[in-house]
Amino acid sequence: MACDWTGKTITCRAAVLWGPSEPLSMEEIEVDPPQKLEVRVKILFTSICHTDLGVWKGENSAMSVYPRILGHEASGVVESVGEGVKDLKRGDHVVPVCVGECGDCVYCTSSKTNICDKYRINAFRSTMINDGKTRFYTASARQPIYHFLSTSTFSEYTVLDSACVVKIQPSAPLNKICLLSCGVSTGVGAAWKTANVQEGSTVAVFGLGAVGLAAAEGARIRGASRIIGIDVNPDKFIKAKGMGVTDFVNPREQSIPVHEVIRSMTNGGVDYCFECVGNREVLREAFMSTHDGWGLCVVVGVHSSPELLMLHPMELFDGRRIVGTILGDIKPKSELPDMVEKYTNGFLKVDGLITHELPFEEINTAMKLLADGVSLRCVLSV
């Protein structure tokens, strides 16, 4: 960041998605300067999560806007700020978030939600809120390239609404802390804030990917007495055991429904259950795995299918509850810096989620590692 490009267009590299299931193409692009209440960030590290993977596969046609720059788990440094930005300046260490926080709306001033009226997550928005235009263009012909989840971190530089940029302490390792911009915060927050897991309670986690293991870590820190991990890939069990999971269930090895297995293991069901797969049938099993009278099922996985939940209203009359969460109900600007501090101080241990580290040029390899279930998180050095 020796050169000052404030107010000027920057030429850099980005991994562009030109169409569903196509390899990401490393392109030379132009990134326009930030406008009012916007920030331009130099991305140093980025990771890939299943939301990126789902759009790459074309699983939701409503999100099919191309060409597009994906990515929303990242860390970097502020390069320049637009008019009206007061809480960020050039050189600040930051993480982008797909859930913004303006700080003033009825949602942001409520302790009951982390949703923001203006900057809430919107996977269908492909331009900036300020003027409805993109800040990305091809360097060769100034063809527009569209945004994703208000972040678009598969680029050496990106422009975000300032409400979607969180300043963090400069001592935090950016190559690790990028995971807290989405996956880790979602999982841990689901345990800490959404469910408010209590000491001595029983927990089930459906899906032992990065988000599921983060939920398990959050439950472990809260003192859960038993954490049951459910996954069809037994290779994940070793990693999960190191993050506090005490018991394992492979659905493919069971002769009865998984919820019946879990109920028999826990004398009627678990106190808290986290569905981290994004599958309707799995969600059904997760809900039925909770204890009647007080069991809580938290929907963490992203469900792209238009099919509705298989749930009869009367099944709620025996006390089971079900609730969804976005970014673990964590208010990004207000509360995420504290989670970063807990990680930096060793209270929160999530380094084991990083299974691969690759240069930016090998982003397609990273996509395949995640798609094949080989990696939990692959961190790319941008």
Side-chain angles (χ1 to χ4, degrees):
M1 290 181 59
C3 296
D4 189 351
W5 291 94
T6 302
K8 302 176 183 178
T9 295
I10 288 179
T11 300
C12 68
R13 298 178 308 159
V16 179
L17 179 65
W18 291 94
S21 300
E22 293 185 13
L24 297 176
S25 177
M26 199 63 67
E27 304 280 353
E28 188 174 78
I29 69 164
E30 293 181 344
V31 183
D32 282 355
Q35 302 302 304
K36 184 178 180 180
L37 295 180
E38 295 175 359
V39 178
R40 188 162 61 186
V41 174
K42 178 177 176 57
I43 298 297
L44 299 178
F45 299 94
T46 189
S47 181
I48 301 169
C49 91
H50 281 87
T51 305
D52 303 311
L53 198 63
V55 176
W56 173 69
K57 290 179 177 180
E59 292 177 349
N60 192 326
S61 59
M63 298 183 192
S64 300
V65 179
Y66 307 106
R68 203 168 196 179
I69 298 176
L70 303 180
H72 62 283
E73 277 191 354
S75 58
V77 180
V78 172
E79 179 273 330
S80 60
V81 302
E83 175 190 348
V85 177
K86 305 297 184 184
D87 61 332
L88 297 162
K89 66 181 185 305
R90 177 178 167 85
D92 283 345
H93 288 203
V94 295
V95 294
V97 288
C98 55
V99 178
E101 182 183 355
C102 73
D104 299 319
C105 70
V106 64
Y107 297 92
C108 286
T109 55
S110 170
S111 62
K112 298 178 181 179
T113 182
N114 67 338
I115 292 174
C116 176
D117 186 29
K118 186 175 183 179
Y119 299 102
R120 65 178 62 197
I121 187 170
N122 185 348
F124 306 118
R125 188 192 307 125
S126 57
T127 56
M128 299 301 294
I129 289 179
N130 185 46
D131 57 6
K133 297 180 180 179
T134 180
R135 302 290 177 260
F136 303 121
Y137 298 88
T138 60
S140 58
R142 285 288 289 183
Q143 175 185 353
I145 304 172
Y146 296 100
H147 296 251
F148 177 64
L149 288 182
S150 304
T151 48
S152 293
T153 62
F154 292 170
S155 176
E156 291 179 325
Y157 287 86
T158 188
V159 176
L160 309 95
D161 299 300
S162 61
C164 296
V165 181
V166 177
K167 181 180 177 180
I168 60 173
Q169 61 192 73
S171 60
L174 291 176
N175 62 326
K176 306 290 181 62
I177 224 67
C178 61
L179 269 61
L180 272 73
S181 65
C182 183
V184 168
S185 299
T186 297
V188 174
W192 288 359
K193 291 206 67 180
T194 311
N196 190 21
V197 171
Q198 300 296 300
E199 184 175 1
S201 58
T202 55
V203 171
V205 179
F206 281 73
L208 299 178
V211 176
L213 291 181
E217 170 69 1
R220 181 195 66 81
I221 292 174
R222 278 296 182 88
S225 62
R226 197 172 187 184
I227 303 173
I228 304 170
I230 300 93
D231 203 291
V232 297
N233 183 359
D235 293 339
K236 295 181 178 180
F237 293 168
I238 296 176
K239 178 74 69 175
K241 187 174 182 179
M243 299 192 70
V245 179
T246 58
D247 302 85
F248 301 94
V249 175
N250 185 340
R252 292 176 177 170
E253 297 177 351
Q254 310 305 318
S255 59
I256 58 176
V258 172
H259 76 267
E260 294 184 15
V261 175
I262 293 177
R263 285 187 190 182
S264 66
M265 294 171 64
T266 56
N267 192 27
V270 293
D271 302 312
Y272 308 98
C273 187
F274 301 92
E275 188 274 323
C276 305
V277 179
N279 179 282
R280 190 176 68 133
E281 286 75 20
V282 173
L283 178 54
R284 169 75 183 171
E285 287 297 302
F287 173 72
M288 297 303 294
S289 296
T290 59
H291 204 293
D292 63 338
W294 61 80
L296 174 65
C297 177
V298 181
V299 185
V300 185
V302 176
H303 290 250
S304 59
S305 170
E307 296 179 330
L308 301 181
L309 173 63
M310 297 183 294
L311 177 66
H312 193 283
M314 296 305 295
E315 290 179 321
L316 297 171
F317 275 60
D318 62 2
R320 290 187 179 90
R321 294 168 294 149
I322 184 169
V323 65
T325 185
I326 293 291
L327 201 68
D329 285 336
I330 293 172
K331 289 181 179 289
K333 283 182 175 285
S334 303
E335 299 173 337
L336 187 53
D338 179 65
M339 184 174 287
V340 171
E341 184 177 0
K342 283 180 168 58
Y343 166 81
T344 305
N345 293 339
F347 181 75
L348 177 63
K349 303 181 188 299
V350 293
D351 285 2
L353 298 179
I354 301 175
T355 53
H356 297 79
E357 297 180 62
L358 294 171
F360 190 35
E361 295 80 5
E362 297 186 33
I363 189 169
N364 284 300
T365 299
M367 294 286 281
K368 189 175 187 305
L369 288 171
L370 185 63
D372 293 344
V374 176
S375 73
L376 293 173
R377 281 296 187 269
C378 178
V379 174
L380 300 162
S381 302
V382 180

